[in-house]
Amino acid sequence: MPDIVPVHDHDRGDPIAEALSRLVLPPLPNVIRYHDDFADLKQTILNLASSPKVILRFEGVEYPCDFQIFGAAQHVVKHVFVNWIQKHALHTVKIHLQRLRAFCSAWGWRQLAKLVLVAPGDLATHWNYNVFPLVSGGVAEGLRAMLHSLAALSIGTWSPHDAVGIRSIRSPRRDRLPKLRTGEAYLSMREGAVVVDYLDHFSASVGPSTDITALQDATLLLLCYQHAIRPGQAARLERSSTKRYEDGSLHITVPYRKQRRGVRPKTSVRAIKLEWIPIFSELLSRTSELHPSVADIPPEALLQLTPAEASLRIIRILASLKLRRNATDLRHTGAQRLADAGSSLEEIMLYLCHESNRAAQLYIDTSPAHGRTVNEALGISEFFGDIPELHRRHYVDAAELNNLPPDRIVSGAPHGFLTGAVGGCTEGQSMCSRSPVLACYSCHKFMPTSDVEVHESLLGGLRHVVESFISMWSEDEDVPIFAQLRTTMDGIRTVIEGLRRSNVTPHAKEHGR
């Protein structure tokens, strides 16, 4: 039998509640089953029709769904809720329901009911005058999703043919990726150097005595920074998704997340950076020490974390490095690195596990043009103004440099020419797995020499190296755009500028300045 919207005593005489009571609805199922792909379990909702609150459980978390805020419209919203579960990803269902709740919390359930009851032919007028001025882009999206379900279910005067009219109503302009356009989403050169420095040192010191939680966090940071993996993807990695090869390399198979239903699941194979493989290898050898926080985490899961836990852990480990960032920022930064290196649209889509090219195109659109990139490689870019922050520290003069232990004196022969002593290291080169000189100018442990001529000489030598590369560079070649040299040369340039501004060069000392 069809459902009739019940009218409670306190709603009797309310014209909107009475109009809702005249709607003829399809019966709500007593049992609603849905698949939780994280736990790989069938979850169940019982007696939705008679329950004012139910639990939507997925990804190891219970989300309470309270329909009482929808007042006399709650029976209609429950039908919409069931339709969403059948059509959308569970995360989308949760967000849409939150948006309907936000609308009712701000404007009352009667405003929502009016939208349910409006004649399809009057939708545009009603929306433009009574809804559009009140809502944000996100809430408007939730309301449109509700209207599409009403049309699909033929509730009231709605029918599937009204979907075209629903799509045509306007919504407040909403920039889905504003931080990408402004550049706020990208880690600065200093922030990236801090992450790399942490992973390098962690990998060099990891072993059986390493704390298992710290090992878990470092593996998660590695995945998010190197491969732009979402916390949900990282939480879904299984031990069987890793493969080692005789040459020492290690690959992981990453599942795509946002995929259409009924389509064969897609995956992407990634290689772990050689210097960071010890982190991954140690975790794989100690998975028996990891214990799930909730019962829904599959026993074969690599990290034994829920997606929500993985997201919080990334924020916490970055905060421990004094970086106010999250996994999404790491993801955007990784994609922008590819775009800046000249990667194609398809390569960026594959890296992000995207099936749409919209976001990938935005990274390419915001990438520096060829001429600007060459300037960056030559160390004359203004893009890396944050690098001086790395050098707000102790400069060492010749006497201090001579008194340092040999292991803490930084020198080398990058690309074949001797640099002399360019500074000191607070830790020592034998404890560092990174390239001497080239990596030092972006490291917070580096103490530059106060002799500006040493840095100027090194900058000139590296410029010759870059110019020799540029002379061989064809416009049609897909080559990396001197990322390490660019970083090093911007670091050298800012050290030189810092020394000149602070007047701590040896020549300044001689003249008593």
Side-chain angles (χ1 to χ4, degrees):
M1 291 181 60
D3 279 1
I4 304 297
V5 177
V7 179
H8 299 286
D9 291 339
H10 59 271
D11 288 326
R12 293 193 184 279
D14 186 315
I16 295 178
E18 295 287 351
L20 288 171
S21 71
R22 292 191 289 271
L23 295 178
V24 179
L25 305 174
L28 282 169
N30 291 324
V31 179
I32 302 165
R33 293 186 176 89
Y34 58 92
H35 183 247
D36 178 0
D37 73 311
F38 174 69
D40 197 21
L41 293 172
K42 285 290 183 183
Q43 305 285 10
T44 303
I45 296 175
L46 300 174
N47 304 316
L48 175 62
S50 59
S51 302
K53 300 178 183 179
V54 296
I55 297 295
L56 186 65
R57 186 183 183 92
F58 65 98
E59 295 188 342
V61 180
E62 292 185 349
Y63 296 97
C65 303
D66 188 348
F67 294 93
Q68 295 177 96
I69 194 172
F70 302 115
Q74 65 180 280
H75 209 60
V76 176
V77 175
K78 286 179 180 180
H79 281 80
V80 170
F81 176 69
V82 174
N83 183 252
W84 284 346
I85 289 178
Q86 295 168 346
K87 290 173 52 179
H88 299 305
L90 296 172
H91 185 69
T92 302
V93 175
K94 181 197 74 170
I95 291 175
H96 282 340
L97 195 63
Q98 286 173 341
R99 287 167 173 170
L100 295 193
R101 287 179 55 81
F103 181 76
C104 288
S105 178
W107 307 107
W109 65 265
R110 288 175 178 80
Q111 286 292 340
L112 187 76
K114 289 176 183 178
L115 195 56
V116 172
L117 296 168
V118 71
D122 298 330
L123 173 62
T125 301
H126 178 81
W127 180 274
N128 289 337
Y129 286 97
N130 301 306
V131 179
F132 181 83
L134 307 179
V135 298
S136 64
V139 171
E141 188 175 322
L143 294 173
R144 289 161 69 107
M146 180 191 73
L147 291 172
H148 277 294
S149 291
L150 295 176
L153 297 171
S154 297
I155 290 177
T157 57
W158 295 97
S159 73
H161 300 292
D162 296 318
V164 175
I166 295 169
R167 283 194 291 269
S168 68
I169 58 177
R170 65 193 183 113
S171 293
R173 294 190 63 179
R174 182 184 175 209
D175 189 348
R176 294 177 180 271
L177 301 168
K179 291 176 68 177
L180 263 64
R181 302 180 200 280
T182 62
E184 295 173 39
Y186 308 129
L187 269 68
S188 66
M189 196 63 66
R190 180 193 67 82
E191 292 172 318
V194 169
V195 174
V196 171
D197 190 48
Y198 173 81
L199 290 172
D200 282 347
H201 285 81
F202 194 97
S203 183
S205 61
V206 71
S209 61
T210 302
D211 177 72
I212 191 64
T213 301
L215 182 58
Q216 205 177 20
D217 288 348
T219 305
L220 185 58
L221 181 61
L222 183 163
L223 291 169
C224 294
Y225 180 78
Q226 185 188 354
H227 292 297
I229 291 176
R230 294 186 179 99
Q233 289 173 300
R236 285 171 170 80
L237 289 177
E238 299 178 354
R239 288 191 284 272
S240 60
S241 63
T242 64
K243 187 173 182 179
R244 306 181 199 225
Y245 292 87
E246 292 181 358
D247 63 358
S249 62
L250 190 151
H251 291 186
I252 58 171
T253 302
V254 181
Y256 277 52
R257 280 293 299 123
K258 298 179 180 179
Q259 301 186 66
R260 296 172 184 167
R261 290 190 175 186
V263 178
R264 184 179 178 183
K266 296 178 66 175
T267 58
S268 175
V269 178
R270 309 292 178 86
I272 300 299
K273 184 179 177 182
L274 187 63
E275 292 84 357
W276 296 343
I277 286 178
I279 300 174
F280 226 97
S281 298
E282 185 63 27
L283 182 76
L284 287 169
S285 69
R286 296 170 58 187
T287 52
S288 60
E289 298 178 38
L290 297 172
H291 303 292
S293 58
V294 296
D296 286 356
I297 298 178
E300 63 273 13
L302 176 66
L303 293 172
Q304 291 295 297
L305 297 171
T306 66
E309 287 173 333
S311 184
L312 285 174
R313 294 279 279 271
I314 280 290
I315 292 172
R316 287 172 183 168
I317 189 172
L318 290 172
S320 73
L321 301 176
K322 295 182 172 53
L323 303 178
R324 297 184 64 181
R325 294 290 187 172
N326 55 38
T328 303
D329 293 336
L330 299 181
R331 183 172 169 81
H332 290 321
T333 303
Q336 194 61 50
R337 282 198 305 265
L338 287 188
D340 290 348
S343 297
S344 68
L345 189 68
E346 291 74 18
E347 288 170 327
I348 297 174
M349 289 171 61
L350 180 64
Y351 177 72
L352 294 172
C353 296
H354 276 182
E355 294 187 309
S356 167
N357 63 8
R358 183 174 59 181
Q361 186 62 58
L362 184 57
Y363 295 112
I364 292 175
D365 291 344
T366 57
S367 180
H370 167 75
R372 188 191 296 177
T373 305
V374 171
N375 285 344
E376 291 173 0
L378 288 170
I380 55 178
S381 167
E382 297 181 1
F383 271 110
F384 302 101
D386 63 295
I387 290 183
E389 295 179 32
L390 292 173
H391 305 292
R392 289 172 185 164
R393 59 170 72 86
H394 178 61
Y395 290 98
V396 290
D397 58 25
E400 292 172 312
L401 199 57
N402 289 333
N403 288 329
L404 288 176
D407 184 51
R408 291 179 57 191
I409 297 175
V410 177
S411 62
H415 295 279
F417 63 90
L418 294 173
T419 66
V422 296
C425 175
T426 60
E427 186 170 280
Q429 293 190 77
S430 63
M431 300 293 292
C432 183
S433 59
R434 303 171 71 184
S435 302
V437 181
L438 290 182
C440 293
Y441 280 87
S442 61
C443 178
H444 64 281
K445 295 180 176 135
F446 179 52
M447 302 179 293
T449 176
S450 59
D451 188 346
V452 72
E453 293 181 358
V454 171
H455 304 295
E456 289 174 338
S457 174
L458 176 58
L459 183 62
L462 289 179
R463 275 186 176 147
H464 287 305
V465 173
V466 172
E467 288 165 354
S468 68
F469 280 138
I470 292 174
S471 67
M472 297 183 291
W473 183 12
S474 166
E475 290 287 345
D476 298 326
E477 288 182 291
D478 184 16
V479 295
I481 312 178
F482 326 118
Q484 186 182 43
L485 289 172
R486 178 184 66 190
T487 304
T488 301
M489 296 179 71
D490 272 293
I492 297 171
R493 178 175 58 83
T494 52
V495 166
I496 292 171
E497 291 173 356
L499 286 169
R500 287 173 175 162
R501 283 196 303 268
S502 59
N503 292 325
V504 296
T505 66
H507 303 293
K509 288 184 177 182
E510 289 173 9
H511 291 84
R513 289 181 289 179

